[in-house]
Amino acid sequence: MTKKKTITDLVNMKANGEKAAWAVVYDACFASYAEQAGIDMLLCGDSVGMIVYGYEGTVPVTMDISIAHTQAVRRGAPNTYLIGDMPFGSYHESTQDAVHNAVRFYKEADVDCIKLEGGVRVADKIRAISDAGMVVMGHIGLTPQSSASMGGFKAQGKTTETARAIIEDAFAVYEAGVKTLLLEGVPEEVCAYVHERMPIPVYGIGAGIQCDGQVILAADALGMYQNFTPKFAKKYADIAGEAVRGIGDYVSEVKSETFPAPENKYKYTGDKDDLQKLFDEMNARSV
Ligand code: KIV
């Protein structure tokens, strides 16, 4: 059985130059596969809105949806460091809201850390959650909850001015108390700089290799999501292809009456004459 990592283990991995491999999953089944495969951490991301619920973005995801899925992930991977993802609207209005909702993740879904998107503009929320004794991961760069104001799911920090904003965000969230930081969709040079300057573990998704580890959506890595695959994702399996093939085979076998086969059927173990008597009795009934 794997031993669940702590924030100290993550800090030690950084110190030892050991990369952390983590993934985004939304249910007990895939959480369990990831735990069996030796994943370092799991995030139950608000991308659940797109992958599982079919929304175009993450904005419609609610606290109740996030909590229910995070609970399922915890049940599937009881020995893995688990990050809860604060959905849009759960920390935007006030620091009280932010602490209240972060506490829900801790109490109801047994998370080890919570992640929230944004830099300078959410520093007060990070400070409040961290002061309440919870571990916070920052998420800057391409922040999907604000994709509308970014003009879509677009890489950030490609110019000097926007790279400066990302670096300012990194300093702001670090000073506010994050224990780890995720950079999404930024040039490798920008992530490498933030990584060099930050004393905390810095992870990337679409941010190059010069950081302390990588996260990927299991849906992208396993070829489950057909609507869109980001440039930075790599496909390690083709679950969508296998699923379509498998369901197609099932449809054919139902139509050709080759399913259910003898091994898929239950056997009657009672007395055959009694069964016939039962049928005769029932035949007297009109339907
Ligand atoms: O919700 C999510 O899947 C995420 C990843 C992009 C890290 O936040």
Side-chain angles (χ1 to χ4, degrees):
M1 191 177 73
T2 48
K3 190 176 162 293
K4 191 164 81 150
K5 290 198 166 47
T6 63
I7 185 67
T8 313
D9 295 319
L10 300 176
V11 169
N12 289 340
M13 284 170 79
K14 175 186 176 78
N16 299 333
E18 186 191 342
K19 301 269 180 173
W22 48 296
V24 181
V25 293
Y26 319 106
D27 63 28
C29 219
F30 281 90
S32 150
Y33 302 152
E35 184 166 285
Q36 290 171 51
I39 204 86
D40 291 307
M41 295 189 259
L42 286 173
L43 165 71
C44 182
D46 62 355
S47 49
V48 68
M50 299 164 78
I51 311 292
V52 177
Y53 289 88
Y55 292 121
E56 282 186 8
T58 57
V59 168
V61 175
T62 62
M63 271 301 292
D64 287 344
I65 289 178
S66 298
I67 294 281
H69 283 272
T70 311
Q71 288 171 332
V73 170
R74 172 49 84 216
R75 287 191 286 266
N79 303 311
T80 302
Y81 191 90
L82 175 60
I83 306 154
D85 203 10
M86 301 277 282
F88 183 72
S90 68
Y91 57 98
H92 297 76
E93 287 180 36
S94 66
T95 51
Q96 282 86 345
D97 256 10
V99 173
H100 173 83
N101 287 318
V103 166
R104 277 196 67 189
F105 273 104
Y106 267 75
K107 277 188 179 288
E108 297 175 38
D110 191 21
V111 299
D112 300 289
C113 166
I114 59 109
K115 171 173 90 55
L116 51 92
E117 294 184 9
V120 175
R121 67 188 165 79
V122 297
D124 59 332
K125 315 298 188 312
I126 292 172
R127 168 60 58 212
I129 298 169
S130 164
D131 281 351
M134 291 170 272
V135 180
V136 186
M137 172 183 279
H139 180 170
I140 59 173
L142 195 179
T143 45
Q145 289 173 9
S146 21
S147 61
S149 60
M150 292 174 167
F153 294 95
K154 293 198 173 128
Q156 303 294 304
K158 289 166 87 174
T159 62
T160 312
E161 196 186 324
T162 55
R164 174 189 293 279
I166 288 170
I167 295 166
E168 297 280 9
D169 278 343
F171 281 116
V173 298
Y174 172 65
E175 280 158 16
V178 298
K179 296 285 185 290
T180 53
L181 178 60
L182 173 66
L183 268 76
E184 176 170 356
V186 302
E188 183 162 51
E189 297 86 337
V190 177
C191 181
Y193 178 77
V194 171
H195 173 243
E196 192 187 307
R197 294 297 313 275
M198 291 286 131
I200 54 172
V202 173
Y203 306 111
I205 176 165
I209 207 159
Q210 295 186 51
C211 53
D212 299 306
Q214 302 289 328
V215 58
I216 196 165
L217 274 66
D220 289 334
L222 302 179
M224 290 153 66
Y225 187 60
Q226 296 180 301
N227 293 6
F228 165 75
T229 307
K231 168 191 163 87
F232 53 71
K234 181 171 171 187
K235 200 165 151 183
Y236 292 86
D238 179 23
I239 288 192
E242 270 297 284
V244 172
R245 185 203 54 72
I247 294 172
D249 287 354
Y250 161 75
V251 170
S252 311
E253 290 196 3
V254 169
K255 302 219 178 263
S256 64
E257 297 186 26
T258 48
F259 176 82
E263 64 273 20
N264 309 119
K265 298 174 194 168
Y266 296 107
K267 282 203 166 41
Y268 174 74
T269 54
D271 184 272
K272 292 265 164 54
D273 292 338
D274 285 349
L275 185 63
Q276 191 51 56
K277 275 188 210 139
L278 171 67
F279 291 160
D280 293 343
E281 184 190 324
M282 290 298 157
N283 283 344
R285 276 205 204 168
S286 56
V287 185

